[in-house]
């Protein structure tokens, strides 16, 4: 019993340290920056410039905004944009393309903290954009072509607070800080549970058996067998839980920075059980197209995976 409590306490300490000393500072800075850019109208201008270029991929102005949110805020940020699309009458086909793009891209709440662990930020971001565009285009033109693309004139204005004076800037920063703190605190339970589960799987020998069974095949494919554990954690517990496990493995020397970068294509994205559950909470029109979006998202992730392997 003492051993169990010891594992729980060590996992809890590691989870809280990762959340408060890595995730929280990054989220405060990035959210404050993004919210200030929103309030100053910079993102509105950027969306207006990019929307016509990305329209052939099935993305609208709100879809472009969702891409900026997933890459520079967090995986949960596009939920509000997807809900806005549904409420404003966007077509199921455009919603599916946007959802697929979000599922295929790297989420900022994992990408940016993991860059402090050695993840190549620029490469991962570039491949995230390419994978997201591929996911949106294949969903819109192939997998979702049976969905209706009829819609009335959709209001795509982005309504958010302005920061015209010092008080406005301070208000935006305070709201961003509170949002970052909420995201960080919400991540702690999953981080702790994931680290406890990993310790339990290691102690029971399940990971050793699974690694031994799959190692020959993985070696032939050029995949590090050590990635079995973070991969299982990612698809069951989500990206933040995977980040906690990978951080623990890097510190223990059981994983390398090279394997981290090679695996980023299929590990750093919100296409997992918790991610899908959060994204489809945006509303019934979004939940209605999630199966189509998952297929398109998988195409984008496959493209990113190949890119990371070739560039590592």
């Amino acid at each position: 019993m003492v051993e169990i409590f010891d594992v729980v306490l060590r996992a809890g300490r590691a989870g809280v340290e990762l959340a408060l000393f890595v995730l929280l500072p990054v989220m405060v800075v990035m959210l404050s920056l993004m919210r200030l850019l929103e309030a100053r109208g910079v993102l509105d201008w950027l969306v207006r410039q990019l929307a016509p270029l990305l329209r052939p991929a099935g993305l609208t102005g709100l879809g472009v905004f969702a891409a900026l949110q997933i890459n520079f805020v967090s995986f949960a940020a596009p939920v509000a944009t997807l809900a806005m699309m549904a409420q404003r009458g966007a077509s199921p086909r455009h919603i599916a393309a946007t959802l697929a793009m979000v599922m295929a891209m790297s989420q900022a709440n994992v990408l940016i903290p993991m860059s402090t662990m050695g993840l190549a930020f620029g490469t991962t971001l570039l491949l995230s954009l390419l994978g997201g565009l591929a996911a949106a285009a294949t969903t819109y033109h192939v997998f979702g072509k049976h969905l209706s693309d009829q819609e009335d004139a959709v209001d795509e204005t982005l309504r958010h607070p302005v920061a015209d004076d010092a008080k406005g800037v301070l208000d935006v920063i305070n709201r961003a800080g509170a949002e970052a703190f909420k995201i960080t605190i919400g991540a702690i339970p999953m981080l702790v549970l994931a680290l406890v589960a990993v310790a339990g799987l290691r102690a029971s020998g399940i990971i050793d058996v699974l690694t031994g069974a799959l190692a020959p095949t993985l070696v032939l494919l050029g995949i590090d067998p050590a990635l079995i554990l973070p991969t299982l954690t990612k698809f069951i517990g989500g990206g933040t839980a995977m980040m906690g496990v990978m951080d623990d493995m890097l510190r223990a020397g059981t994983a390398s920075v090279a394997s981290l970068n090679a695996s980023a294509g299929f590990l750093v994205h919100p296409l997992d059980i918790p991610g899908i559950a959060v994204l489809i909470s945006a509303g019934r029109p979004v939940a209605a197209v999630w199966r189509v979006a998952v297929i398109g998202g998988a195409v984008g992730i496959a493209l990113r995976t190949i890119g990371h392997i070739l560039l590592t």
Side-chain angles (χ1 to χ4, degrees):
M1 201 67 178
V2 175
E3 291 81 1
I4 295 176
F5 288 138
D6 183 57
V7 167
V8 171
L9 290 175
R10 283 190 285 109
R13 187 180 303 113
V16 170
E17 287 179 355
L18 180 60
L20 296 183
F21 299 116
V22 177
L23 184 57
L24 180 59
V26 167
M27 293 305 297
V28 168
V29 172
M30 290 306 300
L31 274 169
S32 296
L33 177 61
M34 287 294 291
R35 297 310 182 207
L36 282 172
L37 291 176
E38 286 179 6
R40 303 291 286 192
V42 176
L43 293 189
D44 300 54
W45 176 86
L46 184 60
V47 167
R48 286 195 300 271
Q49 303 306 309
L50 293 177
L53 300 176
L54 300 182
R55 190 81 186 188
L59 296 175
T60 63
L62 290 175
V64 175
F65 189 59
L68 294 173
Q69 289 177 312
I70 183 73
N71 282 289
F72 296 105
V73 181
S74 77
F75 88 100
V79 172
T81 302
L82 288 165
M84 197 183 303
M85 291 180 70
Q87 293 164 4
R88 296 183 181 182
S91 74
R93 201 166 167 186
H94 284 109
I95 292 175
T98 302
L99 181 58
M101 174 199 67
V102 169
M103 288 179 173
M105 285 184 152
S106 56
Q107 67 270 50
N109 57 295
V110 174
L111 166 62
I112 299 174
M114 289 192 77
S115 66
T116 66
M117 304 175 193
L119 181 62
F121 179 82
T123 300
T124 305
L125 182 59
L126 175 61
L127 291 173
S128 169
L129 296 173
L130 293 176
L133 289 176
T138 54
T139 300
Y140 188 80
H141 294 290
V142 182
F143 306 118
K145 63 181 180 180
H146 63 283
L147 298 172
S148 171
D149 63 352
Q150 299 300 312
E151 59 187 11
D152 299 325
V154 178
D155 177 13
E156 294 196 327
T157 56
L158 302 172
R159 305 187 185 104
H160 32 239
V162 296
D164 294 330
D165 52 27
K167 183 178 183 302
V169 170
L170 186 59
D171 287 344
V172 169
I173 292 175
N174 285 336
R175 280 194 296 270
E179 187 179 352
F181 189 77
K182 181 179 178 181
I183 292 172
T184 301
I185 296 302
I188 290 177
M190 189 58 71
L191 279 170
V192 173
L193 289 173
L195 292 173
V196 170
V198 166
L201 290 172
R202 283 174 173 165
S204 66
I206 293 176
I207 293 298
D208 293 335
V209 172
L210 193 59
T211 302
L214 297 177
T217 303
L218 294 177
V219 170
L220 286 175
L221 295 174
I223 301 173
D224 186 354
L227 294 174
I228 292 174
L229 182 56
T231 301
L232 287 174
T233 305
K234 187 266 179 305
F235 286 98
I236 296 174
T240 307
M242 178 278 297
M243 178 175 66
V245 172
M246 185 63 80
D247 179 60
D248 185 56
M249 293 175 65
L250 288 169
R251 292 176 185 274
T254 54
S256 65
V257 172
S259 64
L260 167 63
N261 281 286
S263 63
F266 64 88
L267 286 183
V268 185
H269 58 79
L271 185 50
D272 47 50
I273 294 174
I276 292 174
V278 170
L279 290 171
I280 65 176
S281 69
R284 185 173 297 176
V286 179
V289 299
W290 77 269
R291 292 178 180 84
V292 171
V294 164
I295 300 172
V299 171
I301 291 169
L303 178 63
R304 288 183 56 204
T305 299
I306 294 171
H308 275 281
I309 292 174
L310 292 177
L311 294 176
T312 300

